[in-house]
């Protein structure tokens, strides 16, 4: 499995435990890496994703609530909510991962960890968000200016 895909899986598992049990994310990540070691670039990527998602969670949750109004955040599956957060952080806030790649990776995570309907739900919400990236960059998030 490719390094970034493995890092996303570890990120999702870490954020899930953080969301459910409120365990310190650094400790959760460290434990997961002891169970399944990963190369340095993967660890750095996972750490950056975890920190970014936690730091920008409020803004991302506002976006999710707006673009998935039929699913209130507190009623949404924890896995789905965290998959959406990871992808939104990657393609909108950090803006380092191409949108299509972030959406594809999110759908793959949903296929592995989510319910039968999760991949379609994740794809739909992220696709709608992707259609509004220019407006979102202007109005919602304090995004870094790409260099």
């Amino acid at each position: 499995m490719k390094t970034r895909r493995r890092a996303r899986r570890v990120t999702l598992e870490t954020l899930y435990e953080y969301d459910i049990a409120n365990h310190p994310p650094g400790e959760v990540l460290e434990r997961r890496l002891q169970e399944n070691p990963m190369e340095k670039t993967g660890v750095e990527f996972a750490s950056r994703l975890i920190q970014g998602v936690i730091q920008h969670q409020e803004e991302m949750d506002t976006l999710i609530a707006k673009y998935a109004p039929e699913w209130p955040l507190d009623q949404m599956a924890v896995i789905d909510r965290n998959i959406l957060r990871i992808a939104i952080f990657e393609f909108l806030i950090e803006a380092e991962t191409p949108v299509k790649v972030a959406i594809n990776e999110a759908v793959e995570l949903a296929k592995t960890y989510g319910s039968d309907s999760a991949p379609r739900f994740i794809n739909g919400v992220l696709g709608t968000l992707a259609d509004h990236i220019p407006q979102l960059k202007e109005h919602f998030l304090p995004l870094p200016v790409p260099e």
Side-chain angles (χ1 to χ4, degrees):
M1 183 182 304
K2 292 187 176 182
T3 302
R4 283 190 165 224
R5 182 164 283 183
R6 284 189 61 218
R8 286 182 186 97
R9 284 183 170 207
V10 169
T11 297
L12 178 60
E13 292 167 359
T14 301
L15 291 171
Y16 179 83
E17 186 171 332
Y18 171 71
D19 211 357
I20 291 286
N22 204 25
H23 292 157
E27 291 175 18
V28 176
L29 176 60
E30 191 175 309
R31 190 173 62 253
R32 299 232 174 253
L33 291 172
Q34 285 174 354
E35 296 166 5
N36 261 320
M38 191 181 335
E39 56 191 64
K40 185 180 178 185
T41 57
V43 173
E44 290 169 352
F45 183 60
S47 294
R48 196 170 71 237
L49 290 176
I50 292 164
Q51 290 170 357
V53 166
I54 291 169
Q55 180 181 353
H56 295 280
Q57 183 174 322
E58 192 174 313
E59 297 112 316
M60 291 187 292
D61 286 355
T62 299
L63 291 175
I64 294 167
K66 179 177 180 176
Y67 289 94
E70 67 282 355
W71 286 102
L73 276 169
D74 60 343
Q75 294 176 16
M76 189 179 294
V78 175
I79 285 290
D80 295 353
R81 186 170 57 221
N82 282 295
I83 291 171
L84 289 170
R85 288 172 179 160
I86 293 167
I88 292 167
F89 177 76
E90 278 196 78
F91 77 73
L92 186 61
I93 296 174
E94 189 178 56
E96 185 179 291
T97 304
V99 176
K100 288 183 180 186
V101 172
I103 292 173
N104 183 56
E105 290 295 320
V107 169
E108 290 302 315
L109 285 171
K111 287 177 183 176
T112 302
Y113 292 95
S115 66
D116 289 344
S117 61
R120 188 168 175 217
F121 171 69
I122 296 293
N123 190 50
V125 174
L126 293 175
T128 302
L129 272 161
D131 291 341
H132 295 89
I133 287 176
Q135 301 92 321
L136 295 173
K137 284 186 177 184
E138 273 180 37
H139 298 292
F140 275 96
L141 303 168
L143 297 171
V145 177
E147 295 180 12

